[in-house]
Amino acid sequence: MDNLPEFHIVVPARYASQRFPQKLMADLGGKPVLQWVYELSLKAGAKSVTVATDHDVIYQAALDFGASVVMTRDDHENGTERLAEVADKMGWKADEIIVNVQGDEPFLPVALIHSCVAALHRDKEAEMATVACVIDDVTDFFNPNVVKVVCDEMQRALYFSRAPMPWDRDGFINIDREGGKLPADFPALRHIGLYVYRASLLAKYADLPMSPLERWEKLEQLRFLHQGIKVQVALADGLPTHGVDTPEDLEKLRKKLP
């Protein structure tokens, strides 16, 4: 994408995972999952790409495949806290842009990274950006595991929720929740968990308390909205390939390899 600003990519890499322990070290076509993520991050043209971990196994593996890696504290509650520590250690300036690329997303489209960076760059008042795509499947719309987002006219997030939103007061009276399609012009958007931050926001993240809505919805991004932080939303053409949450996910990705 032309005229992109400079940006950094940080790949938070945890060793432990409840559903799939050591998944970032799992073999995918002869390379660990984490190496795929690092290599796609390099292709994005970032000013720097850094793996951030708190475990010796991942630290050594990242060094072995040539990554720049930073050892972080082991008490972080989420990847955002790990990003904030890296930004501080690196001494990045307040206006620098930092992309959080999850270590279990080996086939994340580079174009999606560029789109999200560009969206934040265009919106000078926003402090972070994320991605969404249109929902047309009714089952997805009513699925609480599919996070929805509604936006204002500037394409900034108004709210994120696991609940179906917006609500068609008249049209949903007798809707079949197990199949079918939503109307073509219905503004239902599915949140895609890619985040881009200004370093200034990461610097103050640790001081932002968990919001009441975040506590109920279990959605970290509500912490930012609760504090009045503007979140720009880039629109993707469709849902990217699913990451590695389970051994079954990994097997599906193996079948996609040439």
Side-chain angles (χ1 to χ4, degrees), residues 2 27 34 42 67 69 72 92-93 122 124 128 137 158-159 161 183 202 211-212 222 224 233 240 253-254:
D2 295 334
D27 180 80
L34 180 62
L42 290 177
V69 57
T72 62
W92 289 330
K93 297 177 182 178
R122 287 193 301 268
K124 304 305 180 185
M128 62 181 287
D137 185 88
L158 289 169
Y159 191 62
S161 182
L202 291 175
S211 72
L222 293 176
F224 299 105
V233 180
L253 292 184
R254 285 174 176 155

Side-chain angles (χ1 to χ4, degrees), residues 1 4 7-11 31 33-51 62-69 99-102 105-111 113-114:
M1 183 178 290
L4 269 183
F7 61 95
H8 304 277
I9 290 178
V10 178
V11 183
K31 297 184 291 189
V33 169
L34 180 62
Q35 185 173 348
W36 284 86
V37 176
Y38 180 75
E39 291 174 355
L40 79 82
S41 297
L42 290 177
K43 293 176 184 176
K47 186 177 181 180
S48 70
V49 179
T50 306
V51 174
L63 289 179
D64 289 345
F65 60 71
S68 171
V69 57
V99 183
N100 181 348
V101 174
Q102 299 295 332
E105 296 281 354
F107 294 154
L108 180 72
V110 169
I113 296 174
H114 290 173

Side-chain angles (χ1 to χ4, degrees), residues 112 115-116 129-133 149 190-194 232-236:
L112 212 59
S115 177
C116 201
T130 189
V131 185
C133 66
V149 57
R190 176 179 187 147
H191 179 231
I192 299 171
L194 174 67
Q232 180 61 225
V233 180
L235 293 181

Side-chain angles (χ1 to χ4, degrees), residues 38-97:
Y38 180 75
E39 291 174 355
L40 79 82
S41 297
L42 290 177
K43 293 176 184 176
K47 186 177 181 180
S48 70
V49 179
T50 306
V51 174
T53 188
D54 60 2
H55 199 282
D56 290 337
V57 169
I58 289 184
Y59 186 90
Q60 188 57 54
L63 289 179
D64 289 345
F65 60 71
S68 171
V69 57
V70 171
M71 183 68 83
T72 62
R73 303 197 319 267
D74 62 3
D75 60 346
H76 291 308
E77 293 186 2
N78 52 52
T80 309
E81 288 186 3
R82 207 173 302 280
L83 248 69
E85 183 182 350
V86 172
D88 180 60
K89 284 184 172 181
M90 294 296 193
W92 289 330
K93 297 177 182 178
D95 61 347
E96 294 196 72
I97 293 175

